[in-house]
Amino acid sequence: MGEQINHDRRRFVGAAAITIAGARLGVLGSALEQAACAAGKLTGESALSSLRGANGWLNSQPLTAEALKGKVVLVDFGTYTCINWLRTLPYVQAWAEKYKDHGLVVIGAQTPELEFEKNVDGVRRAVKAMRIDYPIAIDNDYAIWRGFDNNYWPAAYFVDAEGRVRHHQFGEGDYDGQEREIQRLLGAAGFTGFDRELVSLDPRGIEAPADWSNLRSAETYVGYARAENFASPGDAVPDQKRLYSAPSTLQLNQWALVGNWTVGRQATMLNEANGRIANRFHARDLNLVMGPPVGGAPVRFRVLIDGKPPGAAHGLDVDAQGNGTAIEQRCYQLIRQPKPIDDRKFEIEFLDPGIETYIFTFG
C-alpha cells in the first residue's frame, strides 16, 4: 500500500509490530528514513498554518498558527475507529491535562479513513464518549494531513514555540520519550513549574496495549478495495447482492461470508437476517469496525469462538453468551481471550439485516 496517495495508506501500528505492519505497508526497512524526511521538510516552516484548512472544530474556536505562537503544540492525527490510535489516547489525554497550564496545547486532527468518519455528529458522539476535552480539528479534506506531510494513523507531531516541528512519533509506543520531548520543548520556551515525573498509566478496556508477543493477525478489510484472504467459494462480486457460503476449512487469517451480502468498496453489507462472518485469527483481542448506517435500526448479533459462546473470552461489547447489539458505527471489541492464546475460529451472526462491516483489527 506504500505506493498509494497519503490518505489511502494503511494504519501504522508502531515499532512493536514492525514485522506485521512493515510487511503489509511496504515500508519495512525504510520507515525511519521516511519519518526523518517527513519531519525535515517541516522544520523550516510552520506546518501549523494548515490548521486554517480544517472543516470545523470541536471543543474550541478555530485555532491558527498565529494564535499558537509562543506555545508548544502537539498535533495528534487519528480517526476514531482506529484501534492503534485508541490505544494511544490515554497518554495524549494525560499530557493534555498535565501540561495545559504550563504552555502545551494538544490538538487532535480527526482525519477520516472511512467515509462515515466524515460525519461530524458521529465524531462529536465519539469525542463525548471518550471524554476528550482538548481541541479537535475536523480534517475531512486532508488539509492538515497534507500540511504535515503525514502518512499514518496514529501520528504525533511536536511543534516548538516558534512553530517548527521538532519531533514526531508514528504509531504506538515510546510514551516516555514523547513526554520527555514535551518537557524539553516547554523548557526551551521558558515554561516552568510542571512536574518532571512522567505519567504512569495502566490503560484498560479497548485502550489496553496489544499483546504484541501473541499477535499473529493483521487488520483485515472486508470491503473489496482492500480485502485479502477471502475464502468463501467463488469470488466476491462487487456491489451486488449475492448468497455466500462457508468453505470447508479456514486457514489462519482467512475470512468468509455466509448469507446474503453486498460487498462494497469500503463496507460489506448484510441484506437479510442471520448472515455470518467467520475469521480464523491469532491474537488476544478481536475487534470489528461496524454498525448500522446513520439513521438505521440497531442490529443484534451473536458471537462464537471455536463454535461456542465466548464465556471468559468475551469482549467489552458482548456478554459471556456472545450477545450484543450494534447501535452506531464504531470499533466494537468482541473478543478478549485469556491465555493461552492460540489460533481460534471466530464467528459473528447478525440476527437483523442492515449491518455495515468494515475492518477486523486485533491486539
Side-chain angles (χ1 to χ4, degrees), residues 54-66:
N55 301 95
W57 290 81
L58 302 179
N59 298 336
S60 174
Q61 294 298 312
L63 298 177
T64 64
E66 294 74 21

Side-chain angles (χ1 to χ4, degrees), residues 103-248:
L104 177 70
V105 177
V106 173
I107 298 174
Q110 160 62 33
T111 311
E113 179 182 17
L114 302 170
E115 192 65 26
F116 73 79
E117 293 170 325
K118 295 179 179 180
N119 184 293
V120 177
D121 288 337
V123 178
R124 185 177 290 109
R125 284 194 299 271
V127 166
K128 181 178 180 180
M130 297 173 191
R131 299 181 180 179
I132 298 172
D133 57 10
Y134 53 79
I136 301 293
I138 305 299
D139 191 30
N140 285 352
D141 294 332
Y142 285 76
I144 306 170
W145 179 281
R146 290 192 298 271
F148 279 81
D149 196 24
N150 185 46
N151 291 327
Y152 306 115
W153 299 272
Y157 292 85
F158 300 79
V159 183
D160 69 13
E162 298 300 317
R164 296 170 294 186
V165 174
R166 292 300 195 182
H167 186 70
H168 56 270
Q169 169 71 29
F170 296 159
E172 303 173 52
D174 193 25
Y175 301 113
D176 287 355
Q178 292 182 70
E179 187 174 1
R180 289 192 185 98
E181 184 64 21
I182 291 171
Q183 293 183 357
R184 187 185 74 80
L185 293 176
L186 290 174
F191 294 103
T192 60
F194 51 84
D195 184 357
R196 291 279 179 176
E197 185 173 349
L198 303 180
V199 299
S200 179
L201 303 179
D202 183 23
R204 303 295 178 93
I206 201 167
E207 296 173 342
D211 182 359
W212 299 111
S213 63
N214 283 299
L215 184 57
R216 302 288 182 272
S217 293
E219 61 185 5
T220 300
Y221 290 78
V222 298
Y224 64 75
R226 303 194 195 180
E228 297 178 305
N229 300 324
F230 182 62
S232 288
D235 293 332
V237 179
D239 299 318
Q240 295 183 29
K241 294 181 179 181
R242 182 185 169 184
L243 284 173
Y244 292 92
S245 60
S248 56

Side-chain angles (χ1 to χ4, degrees), residues 279-291:
N279 187 323
R280 183 167 289 278
F281 74 105
H282 188 120
R284 181 195 66 199
D285 298 348
L286 180 147
N287 315 297
L288 179 57
V289 178
M290 64 176 179

Side-chain angles (χ1 to χ4, degrees), residues 16-98:
I18 190 65
T19 301
I20 293 175
R24 296 174 65 80
L25 282 163
V27 298
L28 190 59
S30 63
L32 294 179
E33 291 85 351
Q34 290 186 14
C37 290
K41 293 177 183 177
L42 302 169
T43 301
E45 63 185 54
S46 178
L48 292 178
S49 63
S50 63
L51 294 175
R52 64 175 176 262
N55 301 95
W57 290 81
L58 302 179
N59 298 336
S60 174
Q61 294 298 312
L63 298 177
T64 64
E66 294 74 21
L68 292 166
K69 197 81 168 181
K71 297 286 189 178
V72 174
V73 181
L74 167 56
V75 178
D76 181 54
F77 285 91
T79 188
Y80 70 90
T81 67
C82 175
I83 188 62
N84 311 114
W85 175 77
L86 286 167
R87 293 194 292 243
T88 69
L89 180 60
Y91 294 91
V92 177
Q93 288 178 303
W95 300 331
E97 178 63 25
K98 179 179 177 180

